Amino acid sequence: MGGTLRPSVSFNEEKPSNLNVEYDPIQLLGDLSGEFDGVTVPAKGTPEREEMEKKLKFKIDMTIMPVVIAMYILNYLDRNNIAAAKLGTLREDLNLTDTNYSTCVSILFVGYILMQIPSNLLLEKLGRPSLYLPLAMAIWGVLSACTAAVQGFGGLFAVRFLIGFAEAVFYPGVMFYLSCWYTKYEIAKRSAIFVTGSWVSGAFSGLIAYGIMKNMDGARGLEAWRWLFLIEGVITVAVALVSIFILPELPATTKWLSKEERLLGVIRMIEDVGQADDDHAPKLDANGEPVVEDLHGKFKTAMEGFILASKDFKVCIAFFMMFFLAVTAGVNTVFPSIVKSLGYGTEETYLLTAPPWILVAITSVLNSYHSDYKQERYFHFLWGPTLSLVGFVIGIATTKTAPRYVAMMLLLQVYNSWSLGYAWLASIIPRPPIKRAAAVACVNIGGNIPNIFVPYIYYSKASPHYYAGFAVCIATALLGLVSATVLKIRLNALNKKLAAGGIVDGLDGSTGFRFLS
């Protein structure tokens, strides 16, 4: 290759470094560049390049996707098994009032919110997702298992708070992780497949709880709900330890890929935005020599990334968009109780919680696949909150069994747009990676704050009508649709600026980059 592009990690968003020059991508690999002297990959658009990309994506899909799906299934089980335990004897055994129970549900999300941004910034700077994500999973698995030993409100409160800290690592961490491997035209379908883990766990949780509650109550002197926490916690730890040996690192540092594949992984992400910008590339001085960065320097760049995300209007819109969506989706924290309002027994209720989750798993993947195929986000995003809105209207209007269950099939459809919303966010904050990590974490805070207060609007005495909860969700579904519309208008305006040759977020319109709206 001809000239060499020497990238420095700059956070000046007014000075793009576009790829309308010849460049040597090996320079982007920092300290590893010596291993790649003479390594080349086929030119973009050639049959050889397409075949090589296809094989690379297959390898990464087969290693990342099954693992993160399994991890998310257990993440969701460990977070929401308290709702299944409530249908057993949890409240009676621990002498919990309605307020006590709601507080224990909510407190998990306080720890979850507090750790979001520090965790994602730390993950980005460490660059070791294959260790960081599984170790966090092992910690929350141990804590979940410890829930089996609590004897009252204080113990349950404390362990739920700590689980929130550990689980904060996972969802924003995986979304950032995926954005480091997949382009903006590939990430929606992968994030949807990843998030199906939570929908599948929603279906499985009822079936698992049914089996444990039915067969293990009193075994070895323990109540069935204690076995529920213990069994699921132990399984989580086992899966976490196995995951360490399967998950790849980042494109430049995954040792089991060939040198050509690693180089291709880096080049793909550069080409996705039309310019080079990699936090893990070396900083260079005026003479082109690498600058050694100490821990203080790493902390400084992490804070710069957070500041950039906080100042970006796109991130602010996405924050409120996912906040309103999350209030609507907060029905999941009490979904078994809402299903029980149909009047069936506990065992039937466990079984009836499964079909709505299975349906949303199917529709979520189909919607996201079609979104990637059409290279469009906004209209696909509208489906979820719109269908849930219809469900809440039906639910507030009648308590008859058939239409009420149809409503419950629709309530969870808000999740149809959940993964798509985060995929949309990741693609509109393409650089620098530290800013994207902070942005995903910030927006995920907005997507979890509602979990703190939503359980209180679905208190037991509100059953079966749940007027207050359903009315709030109708309002927030509408606000979510409005926020998405504002985001699309903003992106269209930025794309017009790029098309006119302007610079947006340090991205040069002449490279052909456009925000996906």
Side-chain angles (χ1 to χ4, degrees):
M1 297 184 185
T4 298
L5 174 67
R6 292 183 175 274
S8 67
V9 185
S10 171
F11 292 93
N12 184 348
E13 298 200 320
E14 298 304 319
K15 296 180 180 179
S17 172
N18 64 54
L19 287 182
N20 291 334
V21 294
E22 294 183 1
Y23 70 99
D24 182 358
I26 292 176
Q27 291 292 325
L28 299 176
L29 299 176
D31 294 338
L32 299 174
S33 60
E35 299 180 29
F36 296 89
D37 289 339
V39 178
T40 60
V41 297
K44 185 176 182 181
T46 62
E48 295 81 6
R49 170 67 174 272
E50 291 177 1
E51 182 64 21
M52 189 175 179
E53 283 202 44
K54 183 178 179 181
K55 290 180 179 179
L56 174 63
K57 286 188 286 185
F58 180 78
K59 284 185 179 181
I60 299 305
D61 285 342
M62 291 300 102
T63 50
I64 290 181
M65 300 312 299
V67 175
V68 296
I69 289 170
M71 293 171 79
Y72 204 8
I73 288 173
L74 292 166
N75 174 272
Y76 222 69
L77 284 177
D78 290 337
R79 182 190 308 179
N80 292 323
N81 50 16
I82 191 172
K86 181 188 177 186
L87 296 181
T89 60
L90 172 76
R91 288 185 56 188
E92 293 78 8
D93 294 335
L94 300 183
N95 297 314
L96 301 179
T97 65
D98 272 358
T99 302
N100 289 155
Y101 173 79
S102 296
T103 301
C104 289
V105 172
S106 300
I107 196 61
L108 180 145
F109 297 97
V110 175
Y112 191 86
I113 288 167
L114 291 174
M115 193 60 183
Q116 291 276 296
I117 294 173
S119 172
N120 245 28
L121 294 177
L122 181 60
L123 170 61
E124 199 284 331
K125 296 313 292 182
L126 291 176
R128 296 296 309 276
S130 71
L131 280 177
Y132 190 71
L133 296 174
L135 288 178
M137 182 182 184
I139 292 170
W140 89 60
V142 169
L143 291 168
S144 182
C146 289
T147 309
V150 302
Q151 299 299 320
F153 168 69
L156 184 61
F157 178 94
V159 76
R160 293 278 297 174
F161 178 72
L162 294 174
I163 290 174
F165 262 100
E167 289 200 353
V169 170
F170 186 68
Y171 187 83
V174 171
M175 289 305 301
F176 172 70
Y177 183 32
L178 295 179
S179 74
C180 293
W181 279 103
Y182 298 106
T183 70
K184 62 177 175 286
Y185 300 122
E186 300 165 349
I187 194 171
K189 62 176 72 73
R190 268 81 178 188
S191 61
I193 293 170
F194 158 58
V195 174
T196 56
S198 67
W199 318 153
V200 170
S201 75
F204 282 168
S205 64
L207 302 177
I208 293 170
Y210 170 77
I212 293 175
M213 296 292 187
K214 185 175 178 63
N215 299 304
M216 299 198 68
D217 194 31
R220 297 186 179 272
L222 297 178
E223 297 88 347
W225 65 266
R226 295 187 188 275
W227 282 111
L228 182 67
F229 286 110
L230 185 60
I231 291 171
E232 291 180 358
V234 170
I235 293 173
T236 296
V237 174
V239 171
L241 296 178
V242 172
S243 299
I244 293 174
F245 301 99
I246 300 176
L247 286 175
E249 297 291 359
L250 298 175
T253 55
T254 299
K255 295 293 186 181
W256 51 262
L257 290 175
S258 69
K259 292 181 179 180
E260 290 81 6
E261 288 170 330
R262 289 162 62 190
L263 193 55
L264 177 61
V266 173
I267 293 171
R268 275 167 36 84
M269 303 316 297
I270 297 170
E271 292 171 343
D272 188 41
V273 298
Q275 66 184 70
D277 193 286
D278 187 343
D279 288 343
H280 294 289
K283 287 189 175 182
L284 307 174
D285 61 21
N287 298 316
E289 298 299 324
V291 175
V292 177
E293 196 176 11
D294 59 18
L295 289 178
H296 175 74
K298 288 182 178 291
F299 176 77
K300 181 180 178 182
T301 56
M303 288 305 299
E304 287 173 343
F306 170 67
I307 292 169
L308 284 177
S310 301
K311 290 180 177 180
D312 193 325
F313 186 56
K314 301 190 302 297
V315 177
C316 294
I317 301 171
F319 177 95
F320 286 106
M321 182 178 76
M322 298 308 292
F323 172 85
F324 293 129
L325 208 68
V327 176
T328 310
V331 69
N332 86 85
T333 61
V334 290
F335 194 64
S337 298
I338 292 177
V339 175
K340 193 174 183 179
S341 71
L342 293 171
Y344 292 101
T346 299
E347 293 178 357
E348 292 86 352
T349 297
Y350 283 133
L351 298 176
L352 287 170
T353 59
W357 287 109
I358 294 172
L359 178 63
V360 77
I362 295 170
T363 58
S364 177
V365 172
L366 291 176
N367 191 40
S368 292
Y369 260 81
H370 196 257
S371 175
D372 270 355
Y373 175 73
K374 290 294 186 179
Q375 298 183 11
E376 190 279 334
R377 294 289 185 254
Y378 170 70
F379 290 107
H380 289 81
F381 181 87
L382 299 185
W383 279 106
T386 300
L387 291 172
S388 286
L389 179 62
V390 173
F392 284 112
V393 170
I394 296 173
I396 208 169
T398 181
T399 57
K400 291 182 179 179
T401 302
R404 184 82 165 188
Y405 193 63
V406 170
M408 291 172 191
M409 296 292 287
L410 294 175
L411 294 186
L412 298 180
Q413 284 299 310
V414 65
Y415 284 111
N416 194 323
S417 302
W418 190 259
S419 62
L420 192 61
Y422 283 98
W424 195 5
L425 169 70
S427 67
I428 62 175
I429 311 292
R431 63 168 295 277
I434 194 69
K435 177 185 175 182
R436 187 169 68 251
V440 172
C442 287
V443 172
N444 202 44
I445 288 175
N448 280 278
I449 288 175
N451 289 310
I452 297 175
F453 62 80
V454 165
Y456 294 97
I457 64 177
Y458 287 102
Y459 51 92
S460 297
K461 291 181 181 179
S463 180
H465 296 285
Y466 295 106
Y467 288 130
F470 286 3
V472 168
C473 289
I474 288 171
T476 54
L478 289 170
L479 290 170
L481 295 173
V482 171
S483 300
T485 303
V486 173
L487 181 58
K488 179 175 176 59
I489 292 170
R490 175 63 174 172
L491 292 175
N492 287 345
L494 295 178
N495 282 336
K496 287 181 180 179
K497 182 177 179 180
L498 287 167
I503 296 170
V504 177
D505 294 348
L507 299 165
D508 187 343
S510 66
T511 65
F513 176 82
R514 299 295 183 270
F515 292 105
L516 198 59
S517 63

